[in-house]
Amino acid sequence: MRVLLIIPAYNEEKNIQKVVEKVRAYRSRCDFALDYVVINDGSTDNTKQVCLENGIHHIDLLQNLGIGGAVQTGYLYALREGYDYAVQFDGDGQHDPECLPRLLEPLVAGQADFCIGSRFMQNASAFRSTKLRRVGIRFLSWLIRLLTGTRVTDPTSGFRAANRAVIASFTKDYPSDYPEPESIVHLAREKFRICEVPANMFEREEGTSSIRSWKSLYYMLKVSIAILYAGLQRKTGGKISS
Amino acid sequence: MSTLLRIELTAFAVLALAVVGYTANRKVVQLKYALIWVLIAAGMIITAIFPELAFLVAALVGIETPSNLIFFLSIVSLLGICFSLTIIVSRQEHQIRRLIQLLSIDHYEWKGTDAFSANHPKKEDKV
């Protein structure tokens, strides 16, 4: 079993080394073949230098593509290199590699195609975001359930595992701006089996989240419209092929 | 409608057609995108030479003044062109994104010091 961790990084010079160290430490003692790839999304800080100095496996995007395009690059890489599973893993240190077996278990057992690590299930995580943001996340959950019937407690979670079929689907079509909730809707529409497991998450240590407070309302509006739109679309795979 | 106004309108329409033709000829505008503008310029010339047409069509569809008909048609066609441009931009964004991704994977990957789980990755799935 070969697993690829896709680590998107945009201006994460302070975090990326710590994140990779954690992955390396975990990798040396886990019982499956674990690789990682950092996708440096045209960072304007020293992310690239930090990667070079520390021997970090990375792909430099020629241009900044935004989180969706960066993550999709990882899925393209996973498909090309024939990985069995791909896991999205944030470059800011929020996610815990110790949760990987739990996240992969439903996929390996063939019970699901896509598995999301949730902060909210069984109080899995000490860090659960701010109250206002939780209200927003609740609303998105509700909207996704309304449109697809899929129950997801943490639709904005960026800690997600995909099997080959989902990897292939994501390489064809992956939303660009705030892709997590929207991509869940896409998958549900394509009849992929989605499940959730409790996952521990940490508060980001350095830098700022890509979603700042003054932007949250606009974010909610955009994501809601995107979800609605995705929910009402015809069930199709991707439109582009290469 | 005065003869002077007709001459002015015709001259303007001919100029528009000339600009479109010139840019298409110099490959500044691709022919497939220039076609719609050629049609519009041709329409302008026809209505400038035969304004009776505008009166006739306006009366036919129940619009009181021909100028309103022309405004209406212009706005509709401009909206249509705008929308088709949005479609083109979206498609190009997709294409550019894919191009950057594939190019970056092929030429800007740096393996670093971490050994990989498989020495020779299988290239079975062609992307």
Side-chain angles (χ1 to χ4, degrees), chain A residues 27 36 77 80-81 171 174, chain B residues 97-98 106 109 114-115 121:
Chain A
R27 177 183 199 232
Y36 71 87
Y77 185 80
R80 274 195 164 192
E81 305 292 320
T171 58
Y174 197 75
Chain B
R97 177 157 99 156
R98 182 49 46 99
D106 282 341
E109 181 189 6
D114 289 300

Side-chain angles (χ1 to χ4, degrees), chain A residues 6-25:
Chain A
I6 299 167
I7 310 177
Y10 177 66
N11 292 349
E12 295 286 3
E13 59 177 9
K14 294 198 174 79
N15 294 311
I16 196 68
Q17 198 202 339
K18 270 185 261 176
V19 171
V20 171
E21 289 304 335
K22 255 200 269 180
V23 171
R24 281 172 175 163

Side-chain angles (χ1 to χ4, degrees), chain A residues 2-209:
Chain A
R2 294 173 65 221
V3 179
L4 178 72
L5 281 190
I6 299 167
I7 310 177
Y10 177 66
N11 292 349
E12 295 286 3
E13 59 177 9
K14 294 198 174 79
N15 294 311
I16 196 68
Q17 198 202 339
K18 270 185 261 176
V19 171
V20 171
E21 289 304 335
K22 255 200 269 180
V23 171
R24 281 172 175 163
Y26 180 74
R27 177 183 199 232
S28 59
R29 60 189 153 80
C30 70
D31 54 359
F32 50 89
L34 181 68
D35 291 334
Y36 71 87
V37 58
V38 170
I39 312 288
N40 177 20
D41 188 13
S43 297
T44 52
D45 68 353
N46 289 319
T47 303
K48 185 180 175 181
Q49 279 73 9
V50 173
C51 286
L52 289 172
E53 279 161 23
N54 295 286
I56 294 171
H57 176 214
H58 68 283
I59 293 172
D60 277 312
L61 292 179
L62 289 167
Q63 297 264 315
N64 174 275
L65 289 181
I67 180 72
V71 168
Q72 194 182 39
T73 309
Y75 283 113
L76 275 166
Y77 185 80
L79 184 71
R80 274 195 164 192
E81 305 292 320
Y83 282 95
D84 301 303
Y85 303 102
V87 179
Q88 272 173 251
F89 196 83
D90 277 2
D92 61 5
Q94 273 194 70
H95 300 152
D96 189 352
E98 304 291 335
C99 296
L100 274 172
R102 214 189 308 167
L103 197 67
L104 289 165
E105 197 196 308
L107 307 190
V108 177
Q111 293 160 346
D113 302 301
F114 189 64
C115 187
I116 302 164
S118 167
R119 277 166 286 187
F120 307 117
M121 276 173 97
Q122 303 165 11
N123 294 325
S125 175
F127 167 61
R128 294 158 57 103
S129 202
T130 60
K131 204 170 207 171
L132 195 68
R133 212 171 275 190
R134 284 212 302 275
V135 172
I137 289 169
R138 272 252 168 97
F139 170 72
L140 293 179
S141 296
W142 173 81
L143 197 61
I144 289 173
R145 212 179 130 196
L146 185 78
L147 286 164
T148 66
T150 309
R151 234 179 250 259
V152 176
T153 60
D154 197 354
T156 60
S157 165
F159 191 31
R160 302 129 41 104
N163 70 5
R164 280 187 182 206
V166 172
I167 292 172
S169 165
F170 277 167
T171 58
K172 290 194 193 106
D173 190 16
Y174 197 75
S176 56
D177 283 343
Y178 309 102
E180 281 86 11
E182 203 186 323
S183 59
I184 295 172
V185 178
H186 283 300
L187 289 182
R189 303 277 305 173
E190 286 185 64
K191 301 281 180 236
F192 282 114
R193 294 162 301 164
I194 299 164
C195 78
E196 244 186 341
V197 294
N200 182 34
M201 289 192 201
F202 309 107
E203 203 155 356
R204 55 181 299 126
E205 289 160 24
E206 303 276 353
T208 48
S209 162

